[in-house]
């Protein structure tokens, strides 16, 4: 594969760095832990699967400790400047994002879209919130001496429903990713074509190309 070229000319061969190595590693680690949690939860809650797999105690321990580990990559990621920069972008909801959500023509390029569109920002917020709730309720459920029975009952109720919601969110996330092979590739290799960036995230592409042009003018 040819090395990425500098994003200075609007041609199809130009590549833009979308995700750095730390960001890709954090995404991969979080995704792997999430999939293990979902798979083990399915075994624990489905009688037929539980009988087929067996070893319920082992499955339960894998589920619990992968669940406790789920926030770890996200927290360690704060050591990376590129990860913190992406979080700031995800945490910034603009008027264009609301417009994007309401519009049925959101993909035609008329609405300025930064590095992340409104759907991706909502997905990140809902995923992070759900992980927090599942971690808190999981601690209450697992360490039974910490709280009273009524708290554990409420935690179980919340844990079950948030698990279902997060599972559906993950399925939707994967389904959308499968529709866009270049976006999926950027999570493995880090780069996207300038053509794709201008079509899907025009504002972000313009920012990067403008920065490259400014650097060349200054040199």
């Amino acid at each position: 594969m040819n090395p990425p070229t500098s994003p200075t000319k609007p041609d199809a061969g130009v590549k833009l760095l979308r995700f750095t190595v730390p960001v890709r590693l954090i995404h991969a680690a979080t995704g792997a832990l999430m999939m293990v949690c979902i798979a083990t939860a399915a075994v624990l809650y489905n009688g037929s699967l539980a009988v087929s797999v067996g070893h319920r105690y082992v499955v339960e321990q894998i589920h619990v400790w992968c669940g406790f580990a789920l926030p770890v990559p996200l927290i360690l990621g704060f050591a990376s400047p590129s990860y913190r920069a992406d979080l700031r972008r995800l945490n910034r909801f603009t008027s264009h994002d609301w417009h994007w959500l309401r519009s049925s023509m959101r993909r035609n390029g008329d609405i300025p879209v930064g590095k992340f569109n409104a759907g991706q920002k909502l997905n990140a917020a809902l995923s992070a919130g759900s992980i927090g709730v599942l971690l808190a309720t999981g601690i209450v459920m697992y360490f039974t001496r910490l709280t009273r029975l009524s708290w554990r009952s409420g935690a179980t109720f919340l844990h079950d429903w948030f698990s279902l919601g997060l599972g559906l969110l993950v399925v939707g996330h994967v389904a959308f990713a499968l529709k866009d092979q270049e976006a999926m590739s950027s999570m493995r290799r880090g780069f996207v074509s300038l053509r794709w960036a201008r079509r899907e995230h025009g504002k972000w592409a313009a920012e990067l190309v403008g920065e490259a042009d400014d650097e060349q003018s200054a040199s």
Side-chain angles (χ1 to χ4, degrees):
M1 185 179 70
N2 294 328
T5 56
S6 175
T8 57
K9 295 182 180 180
D11 58 61
V14 173
K15 296 288 185 179
L16 301 179
L17 177 61
R18 181 157 175 81
F19 296 116
T20 62
V21 172
V23 171
R24 300 200 310 269
L25 289 176
I26 293 163
H27 184 270
T30 304
L33 289 169
M34 182 74 73
M35 296 310 294
V36 172
C37 287
I38 290 174
T40 51
V43 173
L44 292 171
Y45 281 89
N46 186 289
S48 299
L49 285 176
V51 171
S52 299
V53 175
H55 307 287
R56 181 178 178 85
Y57 177 77
V58 174
V59 174
E60 181 182 345
Q61 292 304 303
I62 293 173
H63 178 80
V64 167
W65 292 106
C66 283
F68 287 159
L70 194 53
V72 173
L74 302 175
I75 294 170
L76 293 178
F78 280 94
S80 165
S82 59
Y83 174 77
R84 295 197 303 270
D86 279 352
L87 284 185
R88 286 193 293 270
R89 289 177 181 268
L90 284 167
N91 199 37
R92 189 178 301 129
F93 223 81
T94 69
S95 57
H96 293 304
D97 291 320
W98 292 114
H99 186 195
W100 189 92
L101 286 173
R102 291 192 299 265
S103 175
S104 60
M105 304 294 289
R106 60 179 65 95
R107 296 286 184 178
N108 65 2
D110 290 342
I111 303 173
V113 178
K115 187 173 184 179
F116 303 104
N117 63 41
Q120 292 165 333
K121 292 177 181 181
L122 282 177
N123 178 75
L126 290 172
S127 296
S130 296
I131 289 172
V133 171
L134 292 173
L135 177 63
T137 54
I139 290 172
V140 172
M141 293 163 62
Y142 190 72
F143 298 102
T144 56
R145 295 182 180 180
L146 291 178
T147 58
R148 64 187 70 174
L149 177 60
S150 60
W151 285 34
R152 297 198 298 274
S153 299
T156 302
F157 178 82
L158 285 175
H159 196 86
D160 290 350
W161 282 103
F162 269 85
S163 295
L164 177 60
L166 184 57
L168 294 174
L169 194 65
V170 170
V171 169
H173 180 65
V174 172
F176 276 108
L178 290 173
K179 293 179 182 178
D180 193 334
Q181 293 300 312
E182 187 156 3
M184 281 190 63
S185 177
S186 70
M187 269 301 175
R188 297 193 305 271
R189 301 176 183 177
F191 291 88
V192 293
S193 68
L194 178 55
R195 177 177 295 176
W196 178 90
R198 281 182 165 157
R199 184 181 70 246
E200 299 291 338
H201 300 271
K203 184 179 177 182
W204 171 68
E207 288 173 3
L208 290 192
V209 173
E211 288 173 5
D213 288 343
D214 290 342
E215 289 174 4
Q216 280 202 337
S217 299
S219 61

